[in-house]
Amino acid sequence: MRLLKQLLPVMVVAFVGGQVVATVQDNAVLCLVVGLASAVLSVFVYAKVVRWSERRQPVEVAVKGAAARVGLGVLIGVAWFSAVIGNIAFNGDYRVDGFGSVTGPVGLFGFMAAAAVTEELMFRGVLFRIIEGRTGTWVALVVTSVLFGAYHLLNPDATVWGAIAIAVEAGGTLAAAYAATRNLWVPIGLHFGWNFAEAAIFGTEVSGNGQNDGLLHSVTSGPALITGGQFGPEASGSAVTFGVLLTIVFLLVARRRGNLVPLRRSARDATTATVAQ
């Protein structure tokens, strides 16, 4: 019940905010304002329901230190995607034909901020955190990664491979980032930095949502395994490889800090029973 009490309100804000942002997406300034407002409202609602349902302060979204942590996440996210697109370009499958739009990235900033915040609150703030408390870090990481990948099957040009790639690279990395830092600001910044670089800077497709009007006018062509095809670079082999490496780094940090929650007895017993059958 605690999971539903927290998940449903955040999902409602995400859905309503997403619909409004989609309505005004042709107006860059309105998209920026509405997207940022949706992101702020989502955090407020999340903090409110955590206080109500758990009788504690939501330290994972504490305002103190938030800017620095988001900034760190953004830097990692931009560097991560830059490495991926650089590798695709090295293989000759991505090229820049000139400069694109100046206003497009303004609207994408708000759109990506709303998406990053609401998705991290749902998947890492509610699902991962609560499942981890019942089963341990490893089970929570696997379960939420699968759910995160499946969630992206709802996108227009979604593919099964794209969903699997998202589950492995993004689901794992973002959950590991939360486990390492025990706050939501780093994974939010990481999620935003990746998406913003992908869409607003390099002008590529994002999770099967079509081409974006970014700062650079780009052309991607080549085998889907290298470029990600219509799903975008997130379904590329480079993205999966770098994502797995980054996940390992975050998990090592989490282990060193003592942040990994061991497999709970109830989960261990259920796993043992399943194997025995």
Side-chain angles (χ1 to χ4, degrees):
M1 290 302 295
R2 179 161 56 98
L3 188 149
L4 291 177
K5 287 177 181 178
Q6 295 178 20
L7 186 61
L8 290 178
V10 176
M11 287 181 65
V12 169
V13 175
F15 176 77
V16 174
Q19 293 300 307
V20 177
V21 169
T23 302
V24 301
Q25 63 181 349
D26 292 332
N27 186 312
V29 175
L30 274 179
C31 192
L32 173 66
V33 173
V34 173
L36 291 176
S38 178
V40 172
L41 180 60
S42 297
V43 174
F44 175 80
V45 169
Y46 172 84
K48 199 78 172 176
V49 295
V50 166
R51 289 192 189 96
W52 166 62
S53 61
E54 297 187 19
R55 300 292 190 269
R56 68 173 180 86
Q57 289 299 314
V59 293
E60 63 271 24
V61 289
V63 175
K64 185 177 180 181
R69 288 166 178 160
V70 170
L72 174 62
V74 170
L75 287 175
I76 297 172
V78 171
W80 178 16
F81 185 77
S82 297
V84 170
I85 203 68
N87 192 61
I88 296 174
F90 180 79
N91 287 295
D93 296 315
Y94 172 86
R95 75 174 189 270
V96 176
D97 282 350
F99 290 103
S101 170
V102 176
T103 58
V106 174
L108 284 169
F109 190 100
F111 184 88
M112 294 306 176
V117 171
T118 54
E119 288 180 15
E120 289 313 300
L121 292 176
M122 287 189 294
F123 286 95
R124 262 58 67 177
V126 179
L127 290 172
F128 178 84
R129 184 175 56 80
I130 292 178
I131 294 173
E132 182 188 43
R134 297 291 298 273
T135 65
T137 300
W138 298 106
V139 174
L141 189 148
V142 172
V143 171
T144 56
S145 293
V146 171
L147 291 175
F148 192 60
Y151 176 75
H152 286 79
L153 284 172
L154 300 174
N155 295 344
D157 292 322
T159 63
V160 174
W161 164 245
I164 293 172
I166 286 284
V168 173
E169 73 204 20
T173 301
L174 294 166
Y178 173 75
T181 61
R182 290 300 161 184
N183 73 78
L184 288 169
W185 296 122
V186 172
I188 283 173
L190 181 59
H191 194 151
F192 172 81
W194 168 279
N195 280 355
F196 189 76
E198 189 174 19
I201 298 176
F202 293 100
T204 62
E205 297 87 348
V206 179
S207 307
N209 280 308
Q211 191 83 14
N212 290 283
D213 197 11
L215 287 173
L216 300 176
H217 180 68
S218 62
V219 176
T220 305
S221 60
L225 182 61
I226 303 296
T227 65
Q230 288 187 312
F231 193 82
E234 286 161 316
S236 68
S238 299
V240 174
T241 301
F242 285 118
V244 170
L245 292 175
L246 194 53
T247 299
I248 292 171
V249 170
F250 277 125
L251 288 175
L252 288 174
V253 172
R255 181 182 179 185
R256 185 164 56 182
R257 292 178 176 179
N259 288 347
L260 295 180
V261 179
L263 187 65
R264 300 300 191 189
R265 181 175 179 179
S266 57
R268 190 185 301 115
D269 291 343
T271 302
T272 302
T274 300
V275 172
Q277 290 175 359

